[in-house]
Amino acid sequence: MEKWRRTERITVITKYILDRPNELISLNNFTELFQAAKSSISEDISIVRDVFQQFGFGRIETLAGAGGGMIYFPQISGKNRDDFLKEVAFKIANPNRILPGGFLYMTDIIFDARTAQKVGEIFAQHFAAMEPQYVVTIETKGIPLALMTAKALNRPLVIIRDGSRVTEGSAVSLNYVTGSSRQIRTMSLSRRALPIESRVVIVDDFMKAGGTAKGMVELLLEFKSEVLGIGVLIDTKTPEKKLVEEYYSLLKLEEVNEEKKQILIEPYLVK
Amino acid sequence: MEKWRRTERITVITKYILDRPNELISLNNFTELFQAAKSSISEDISIVRDVFQQFGFGRIETLAGAGGGMIYFPQISGKNRDDFLKEVAFKIANPNRILPGGFLYMTDIIFDARTAQKVGEIFAQHFAAMEPQYVVTIETKGIPLALMTAKALNRPLVIIRDGSRVTEGSAVSLNYVTGSSRQIRTMSLSRRALPIESRVVIVDDFMKAGGTAKGMVELLLEFKSEVLGIGVLIDTKTPEKKLVEEYYSLLKLEEVNEEKKQILIEPYLVK
């Protein structure tokens, strides 16, 4: 007789999987925990896998071979993704968000943990197949999105410091020119933070001309990193030509009109 | 006949609950989604609740009244908490982490999403009963821990900026003296980031003399905030008297001996 009922096992398995995205999970964890036969656990997992697929929670891949295992890839269906981005765009388009100088107040949105998590899962879904080893961002506003991307990819987060004030041993610093306001700034990364020759993706909240992203790519070159992709929550319509060749953006900011109190922002939809 | 089997419903309910900590969830969500009777859903939830309790995943409180509902409070059992903190302490105690000047390299640990999540859940468990409305931190290293605390508490994150470079409209700035190195620094918070008279908790990674924490408390006073508690991952043995009265720390750094290449760090255990 088995000690745990299927409903109980399924609750535990669901929680366990959700805590470990992009990680190979051995079936033995569960056969031992529940003192159950491998066939029972396999059936449990089939049920969870099918539900995850039907409800758009993500993809669970089961693997045969020594003991058997599975990997959970968080995914958002195209429709859920698009609905979510429309909702974020709608929130950002509130004219009360216009700050002097045509800036937009949106830290409340990008610092919201659930929003950040969903954005992170969208980025993770996009980048997973590239098999990055690290997720890189620059302080400060990109951190929540990058952390949630790192969580969904099950990879470490690396934060480039703004300025040269690094208390983390020897560091590489780089002067760069912000593309839009043409200011000279410095960014730094501790030597210890990233092994050389790593495969990385960059995540940030905003791209105007792309000067910061270009700076990050150059700094990462000093670490002989391979930058597999760049993800930003928002890019701007102008300047049309960015300083980096390719990137993946979720929302396009077309215009902030201080006079008319109007913000035009559109999601890049997949459906 | 009901369309979804119990095992399927339980998978969905588990995922749904885990995505919504500290939020009142109505049973109607599930009766509608599954076209199921309230009694069936109630039974599903009892199963999930009991498993969560038995496996130390957290507490699910069910509420009677209009439609019925529940709230999920993430919790870590005392033993799991202690084991986790011992593991973190062990990682930090690696002598290779000693940097010139007796600093410790530990960004890889606090920027690790899973570690940050667990720390966040421990803080959330400690602070939940105080019913904070916001989680406040200061850039940069405290952000991952504070974001995960905010996520577990289902509350917005507010990030105080280091320096006075704020592009978020009018802001309140405060000069403060770091307690240990006696430097004068500035921190700022946008007026929009926090409504006045909010109930907040502060989360940060490290406390030596407590000058930064004291500065945050003072800045928050300018917003007429009530600071309900302060949580830090690590505090130091010296100076014994901190500049803030009370705080909740998870690890105590007793000594960093550069010469002997020795780090003494101990978790504050509950068991």
Side-chain angles (χ1 to χ4, degrees), chain B residues 155-194:
Chain B
R155 293 291 177 272
L157 171 65
V158 172
I159 301 181
I160 295 174
R161 306 300 296 255
D162 184 19
S164 52
R165 190 171 50 83
V166 173
T167 56
E168 288 145 352
S170 75
V172 181
S173 290
L174 180 92
N175 293 318
Y176 69 105
V177 182
T178 63
S180 39
S181 55
R182 313 287 309 164
Q183 284 181 307
I184 294 182
R185 300 178 62 92
T186 308
M187 59 171 80
S188 324
L189 184 58
S190 163
R191 282 267 176 220
R192 298 179 78 130
L194 185 67

Side-chain angles (χ1 to χ4, degrees), chain B residues 140-154:
Chain B
T140 297
K141 290 189 192 165
I143 297 177
L145 306 180
L147 180 70
M148 291 304 191
T149 307
K151 177 164 183 279
L153 284 169
N154 186 30

Side-chain angles (χ1 to χ4, degrees), chain A residues 214-228:
Chain A
K214 185 168 175 255
M216 284 195 267
V217 171
E218 280 169 14
L219 181 59
L220 289 164
L221 273 181
E222 295 290 322
F223 288 76
K224 298 192 185 1
S225 287
E226 187 182 350
V227 178
L228 306 167

Side-chain angles (χ1 to χ4, degrees), chain B residues 91-110:
Chain B
K91 276 188 205 159
I92 294 177
N94 182 337
N96 288 332
R97 295 188 171 277
I98 301 179
L99 296 170
F103 289 103
L104 280 187
Y105 181 77
M106 46 176 215
T107 42
D108 58 324
I109 294 172
I110 54 178

Side-chain angles (χ1 to χ4, degrees), chain B:
Chain B
M1 206 189 107
E2 294 183 349
K3 203 184 156 198
W4 299 94
R5 277 177 294 170
R6 165 147 291 154
T7 50
E8 295 166 331
R9 294 197 308 258
I10 278 187
T11 305
V12 174
I13 290 171
T14 302
K15 156 88 169 142
Y16 194 94
I17 289 174
L18 289 171
D19 280 345
R20 290 163 184 79
N22 274 286
E23 177 179 323
L24 177 60
I25 300 169
S26 164
L27 291 200
N28 295 336
N29 287 313
F30 302 120
T31 52
E32 282 164 28
L33 180 64
F34 297 122
Q35 295 291 310
K38 210 183 128 188
S39 57
S40 305
I41 298 294
S42 289
E43 269 177 64
D44 296 346
I45 288 167
S46 301
I47 294 168
V48 174
R49 185 192 59 205
D50 293 347
V51 170
F52 270 46
Q53 203 197 330
Q54 277 180 283
F55 284 83
F57 295 164
R59 191 163 48 89
I60 294 173
E61 256 181 38
T62 49
L63 302 147
M70 64 180 142
I71 305 179
Y72 160 54
F73 301 97
Q75 288 189 324
I76 302 180
S77 70
K79 188 184 173 309
N80 283 348
R81 174 195 178 282
D82 288 355
D83 287 348
F84 166 71
L85 292 179
K86 282 179 201 164
E87 196 189 305
V88 175
F90 178 79
K91 276 188 205 159
I92 294 177
N94 182 337
N96 288 332
R97 295 188 171 277
I98 301 179
L99 296 170
F103 289 103
L104 280 187
Y105 181 77
M106 46 176 215
T107 42
D108 58 324
I109 294 172
I110 54 178
F111 291 172
D112 173 70
R114 280 195 203 168
T115 304
Q117 180 169 353
K118 220 147 186 179
V119 171
E121 286 176 2
I122 293 172
F123 283 144
Q125 185 170 352
H126 182 77
F127 290 131
M130 305 173 187
E131 300 189 350
Q133 296 169 302
Y134 293 86
V135 177
V136 179
T137 191
I138 186 164
E139 60 184 348
T140 297
K141 290 189 192 165
I143 297 177
L145 306 180
L147 180 70
M148 291 304 191
T149 307
K151 177 164 183 279
L153 284 169
N154 186 30
R155 293 291 177 272
L157 171 65
V158 172
I159 301 181
I160 295 174
R161 306 300 296 255
D162 184 19
S164 52
R165 190 171 50 83
V166 173
T167 56
E168 288 145 352
S170 75
V172 181
S173 290
L174 180 92
N175 293 318
Y176 69 105
V177 182
T178 63
S180 39
S181 55
R182 313 287 309 164
Q183 284 181 307
I184 294 182
R185 300 178 62 92
T186 308
M187 59 171 80
S188 324
L189 184 58
S190 163
R191 282 267 176 220
R192 298 179 78 130
L194 185 67
I196 59 159
E197 297 181 353
S198 300
R199 297 161 55 86
V200 308
V201 291
I202 291 173
V203 167
D204 208 353
D205 61 322
F206 198 82
M207 184 186 293
K208 197 166 181 181
T212 305
K214 185 167 175 256
M216 284 195 267
V217 171
E218 280 170 14
L219 181 58
L220 289 164
L221 273 181
E222 296 290 322
F223 289 77
K224 298 191 184 4
S225 287
E226 187 182 350
V227 178
L228 306 166
I230 301 172
V232 295
L233 176 62
I234 301 172
D235 70 339
T236 55
K237 193 183 173 189
T238 54
E240 215 171 298
K241 177 116 187 68
K242 309 295 190 197
L243 293 168
V244 290
E245 290 285 314
E246 249 185 274
Y247 61 95
Y248 176 60
S249 175
L250 305 184
L251 300 166
K252 183 183 201 163
L253 183 61
E254 312 223 339
E255 196 192 351
V256 179
N257 191 318
E258 270 191 272
E259 216 162 294
K260 289 192 197 160
K261 293 201 171 295
Q262 208 173 50
I263 300 165
L264 288 177
I265 183 165
E266 291 291 337
Y268 291 96
L269 302 177
V270 293
K271 280 282 173 188

Side-chain angles (χ1 to χ4, degrees), chain A residues 136-149:
Chain A
V136 179
T137 191
I138 186 164
E139 59 184 349
T140 298
K141 290 189 191 164
I143 297 177
L145 306 180
L147 180 69
M148 291 305 191
T149 307

Side-chain angles (χ1 to χ4, degrees), chain A residues 3-13 34, chain B residues 10 47 50-51 54-55:
Chain A
K3 203 185 156 196
W4 299 95
R5 276 177 294 170
R6 165 147 289 153
T7 49
E8 295 166 332
R9 293 198 308 258
I10 278 186
T11 305
V12 174
I13 290 172
F34 297 121
Chain B
I10 278 187
I47 294 168
D50 293 347
V51 170
Q54 277 180 283
F55 284 83

